[in-house]
Amino acid sequence: MMGAIDVWAQLPTETMARQPWMETLLRWIGRDADAILPTPETAIETMDAAGVDIALLSAWHGPGGPLISNADVAGAVDAAPERFRGLASVDLARPMEAVRELRDIVDGTRFVGVRAVPWLWGLPPNDRRYYPVYAACVDLGVPFCTQIGHTGPLKSSETGRLIPYLEDVLLDFPELVVVGGHVGFPWIDELTTLTVKFPNFHVDTSAYALKRLPPDFVAWMKGPGRSRVMFGTNYPMLDPGQCLAGLPGLGLDAEQEAAFLSGNARRVFGL
């Protein structure tokens, strides 16, 4: 049986790990900055222990510059191309430079999507500065990955509200495939509404141990969400084994479990 696919992971740099806004997140997970600086080798060891075949490693770019560069991610992917794929990130404030960079590196094989984190920018996803990136994703045939729901770091959660911000994007770009990370709590009703309304909208469970998923989210996973939800961790903030420990408690049947752990991700990201 094929192993799981982790659709939200990263290999933080020193620059990212020591950002002031990381302090709250580190307090939540009970770790210090040095504990979230894995190497590709230690990440693979952790994946092997949990039965994860592939992890999508995210670059991070914010208003102050790259926190994890696309080159950093490319190096990790090149070191273990069977285990890692990349999600690119670009400077929203430099739209044409961003589009050219995406055209250059996002090939659907090594880099299989694009990620932007709205709370990092302080910009909701319907801000005009995202729109060239959305158009590039459609042209390149890859998903746009983002964060939905409340924000763990000391930043506003408003940018993670699905309606109206993400709904505007889904209306304006009906061809765009969107993957919303981090479950979407506390706006689960908005989440379920949008997944029924928009066939290209998907969700991942990153930043949650499965035993902590909201009951309404689990109910959605078994119904309309069975072809829309993917496994994610937010590694190294959470380890895949820690996240997957609660899998039996979800009560998924074999088909639902296979789609959640890998099938939906393989289809959406073309793996």
Side-chain angles (χ1 to χ4, degrees):
M1 180 177 176
M2 289 186 291
I5 296 172
D6 181 355
V7 302
W8 187 319
Q10 50 264 310
L11 298 178
T13 61
E14 285 271 358
T15 300
M16 179 179 181
R18 303 192 188 284
Q19 291 292 310
W21 45 258
M22 284 291 291
E23 293 177 7
T24 306
L25 187 57
L26 292 170
R27 189 169 71 246
W28 274 21
I29 63 176
R31 301 166 80 177
D32 60 27
D34 292 331
I36 59 163
L37 294 169
T39 64
E41 293 75 21
T42 56
I44 289 171
E45 290 173 5
T46 305
M47 292 163 61
D48 287 344
V52 174
D53 280 353
I54 297 171
L56 307 190
L57 299 179
S58 180
W60 279 62
H61 203 299
L67 299 173
I68 305 173
S69 71
N70 292 324
D72 292 333
V73 173
V77 172
D78 289 343
E82 298 301 314
R83 307 304 302 275
F84 296 134
R85 305 291 191 277
L87 297 176
S89 191
V90 290
D91 188 350
L92 300 181
R94 305 172 73 88
M96 284 313 303
E97 183 178 303
V99 169
R100 292 185 186 109
E101 185 172 3
L102 293 178
R103 288 173 177 164
D104 186 49
I105 65 172
V106 177
D107 57 3
T109 303
R110 293 167 67 252
F111 279 82
V112 296
V114 177
R115 172 162 285 137
V117 180
W119 59 258
L120 185 60
W121 286 92
L123 301 172
N126 64 351
D127 186 275
R128 69 186 188 281
R129 280 160 282 197
Y130 292 90
Y131 275 43
V133 173
Y134 299 149
C137 288
V138 173
D139 278 345
L140 293 165
V142 297
F144 175 77
C145 305
T146 190
Q147 178 266 341
I148 57 175
H150 74 95
T151 299
L154 281 177
K155 296 283 188 176
S156 173
S157 293
E158 181 64 18
T159 55
R161 186 184 290 275
L162 290 89
I163 298 174
Y165 306 126
L166 195 59
E167 184 181 44
D168 285 348
V169 175
L170 293 163
L171 288 168
D172 288 343
F173 291 88
E175 298 172 70
L176 179 66
V177 176
V178 175
V179 180
H182 296 10
V183 173
F185 182 84
W187 298 296
I188 302 300
D189 287 344
E190 294 186 10
L191 168 74
T192 56
T193 298
L194 291 191
T195 55
V196 171
K197 188 173 181 178
F198 298 102
N200 285 342
F201 179 44
H202 303 78
V203 184
D204 76 53
T205 60
S206 57
Y208 278 75
L210 297 184
K211 66 182 179 180
R212 298 191 181 277
L213 288 175
D216 288 349
F217 186 91
V218 176
W220 166 80
M221 288 177 70
K222 297 175 182 178
R226 61 189 177 274
S227 63
R228 306 294 191 85
V229 64
M230 304 172 224
F231 173 66
T233 62
N234 201 28
Y235 177 84
M237 289 66 172
L238 291 176
D239 292 342
Q242 180 184 3
C243 292
L244 286 167
L247 181 63
L250 298 181
L252 304 178
D253 63 31
E255 184 177 344
Q256 291 165 342
E257 183 174 306
F260 166 58
L261 291 180
S262 65
N264 292 337
R266 289 185 183 277
R267 183 185 75 252
V268 170
F269 289 97
L271 303 178

